Structure formats: structure tokens, C-alpha cells
Amino acid sequence: MRILFAEQTVLGLGTTGGFVAPTLHNSFLLLLLRMLPAVPLMALLATWLYPPIWHEIRKLSKRSQRQALGHALAGGGLMFAYLGLLYVSIGLIATAIALTLFFTFPIFTALLSWRFLKQKPTALQWGIMTCILLGSILTIPPQQWTGDGGYWGAVLGIASGMAYATYTINAQKSFNYMHPLTYTWASFALTLWFAALCLIIWPIDNLSELRWTPLWIGSIISGIVTFIGHILYNLGIRSIGATAAAMIGSTNPALTVVLAWVAIQEALGSLQLLGVSIVTASVASLSRSR
């Protein structure tokens, strides 16, 4: 996404990227292009792992399933919101910073769980969440607090985390009415639909001027990675359990720093690296404590 939004030196071989501006409008387009391959691939995965999924999908049209349908619609809307906000954030600030700010979502998840699921955080969890906030603040370069535009990237990164936290709480409540894979596929499909609807209501004027070849290549790669990521994550949960899988997944920000450094030479300062490390360690500790 960072390469699609901003010109980068890739693997030291040459400069490419910057095919679209980092706007919410263009995020809808990239989200649509990403979901076009991801939705059918996810359908194949869901059919393999949970064959009754299509029976559950058809049941959502019944009057008795209105609550389940509401959770499914909310899941699609929230997935659409958190991905759209994260895309713009990635376009405005460094990839690792945007993703680290997104990974503040355990804080909001804990607060929402306390409010709606009556799961009060422990003193240890509050301490860990304070560390997450501290680490997130350290990831933001000092010059971005002066109002040069990076401020909005940070705000949108945190807003994306808030939307994702709401998505997870909605998911937990929806599992009383439907299988997790049914909810996940419905979220993917509705995200595709919402992105298409936004582009119909707010069409892009210069479609013919866009560089479609690199946009399609990037989007297909993104869709395939999304598909593979879900397969590996589900296999990981089956092999080592959800808690261990979540703890490994919490290394995402640190891995992003390494990948961005290797792939697009995106350097971070020492304080930012410290912030990423604190957030990663804190999220892992929060997963363990939960």
C-alpha cells in the first residue's frame, strides 16, 4: 500500500510507486481492487474449512435471523472503515508507524469488552495498555507534531485501531448466532460491496488516466497475501491454539519495520524503533494476560 501511495526505492533496484494520492477516495478504489480477488479466495477457504457456510448465509434472510444479519452488516461496515482509514494513514506516514498506531486496538478492545461484555481489565492489563500508549506516542516523529500533515496520518491510524476493536467486539457477540468463518466471509463480501457503493456514489473522474497495470498488480498481490494470511492464521490456531497464535501475530509492527527497511529502505529513528518495540512487547503481554 505504501508503494502504491508514494514513490519508493524498492529493494535498492529502482524507484517506483506513487500511482495514486493517499486520499480516502483512492482508498475506496484500492480496497475494491484488493477485495475482488480476496473474496472468492476466502469463499474457497471457508467452503473447505466449514462446508455449511452457505446454508448459514442463506438463513440470514429469514426474519428470525435479524440479529445475526445486523451483526454481519456491522462487521462488514467496520471492516470497511478500519481498512479505509488504515490505507490513508499508510499513505500519509511511515508504514511501520501507521501499523503500530493501528495496533493500539487492544486498548480499545479492553475498554469495549468492559462496557459491553462485562470483562473488566485487571491492574496488569491497565499497566500494559499504558505502555502501549507510551510506545505509540514515541513512534510519531517530532516534526509530525508541528502540523505538517503527518498529524492526520497518526489520528487516522488510531481511528483505524478503534474501528478494528469495535469489529472484534461485534465479532465476539456475533459468534452466538453464526460460525466465525461465516462472519469473516460476510465481512469480506460486504467490504467489497461498500467500497463499490462508495465509488458509485462518489465516482473517480480521472479513471482513464490512472496507471492500471501497477494498480492491478499491487491489488492482486494484496488480495493473495490476505488470503494466504487467513489460511496460515487459521492453521496456526488449529495447531498451537488461539492465544499462542495471537501472541505471535502481535509481532506484526516489528516485522513491518524490518520488511519496510528491507523492501523500501524506510528508515526510522531510534525513538521510533523503541516505540515500536514497546508496543510489540506490550501487545504480546496483553495477549498473555488475557
Side-chain angles (χ1 to χ4, degrees), residues 61-264:
S61 62
K62 296 182 178 179
R63 186 180 298 274
S64 61
Q65 297 294 314
R66 288 293 182 264
Q67 198 159 8
L69 178 61
H71 282 296
L73 291 173
L78 289 166
M79 176 178 279
F80 171 71
Y82 89 74
L83 285 172
L85 293 170
L86 182 60
Y87 279 14
V88 181
S89 178
I90 288 173
L92 294 174
I93 59 178
T95 310
I97 298 175
L99 199 59
T100 299
L101 293 173
F102 168 75
F103 264 79
T104 59
F105 75 83
I107 297 174
F108 306 112
T109 302
L111 293 174
L112 291 171
S113 296
W114 187 10
R115 172 65 178 82
F116 295 105
L117 303 178
K118 309 305 180 184
Q119 298 174 356
K120 184 178 180 180
T122 65
L124 174 61
Q125 290 170 337
W126 282 121
I128 291 171
M129 287 187 283
T130 301
C131 291
I132 293 175
L133 281 176
L134 173 62
S136 300
I137 292 171
L138 290 175
T139 65
I140 303 175
Q143 66 271 18
Q144 292 192 358
W145 293 104
T146 61
D148 63 350
Y151 168 79
W152 286 110
V155 170
L156 293 176
I158 294 174
S160 175
M162 293 176 65
Y164 183 72
T166 309
Y167 171 83
T168 60
I169 295 300
N170 180 70
Q172 184 168 341
K173 293 181 74 69
S174 77
F175 296 159
N176 296 324
Y177 309 97
M178 69 185 82
H179 191 275
L181 280 175
T182 304
Y183 175 82
T184 303
W185 184 86
S187 297
F188 270 65
L190 286 168
T191 298
L192 173 61
W193 188 85
F194 285 136
L197 181 63
C198 286
L199 290 173
I200 292 173
I201 297 173
W202 186 17
I204 296 178
D205 297 327
N206 60 338
L207 280 176
S208 60
E209 300 175 9
L210 294 178
R211 299 174 61 182
W212 284 104
T213 299
L215 286 178
W216 272 114
I217 292 173
S219 299
I220 290 172
I221 291 173
S222 179
I224 291 174
V225 168
T226 301
F227 168 65
I228 293 174
H230 277 79
I231 288 179
L232 295 178
Y233 192 72
N234 281 316
L235 291 175
I237 291 175
R238 187 171 64 181
S239 300
I240 62 175
T243 300
M247 290 177 60
I248 294 172
S250 70
T251 61
N252 201 319
L255 293 175
T256 301
V257 171
V258 175
L259 182 60
W261 173 64
V262 172
I264 57 177

Side-chain angles (χ1 to χ4, degrees), residues 6-20:
E7 191 174 81
Q8 305 287 335
T9 300
V10 181
L11 298 175
L13 302 176
T15 301
T16 187
F19 305 115
V20 290

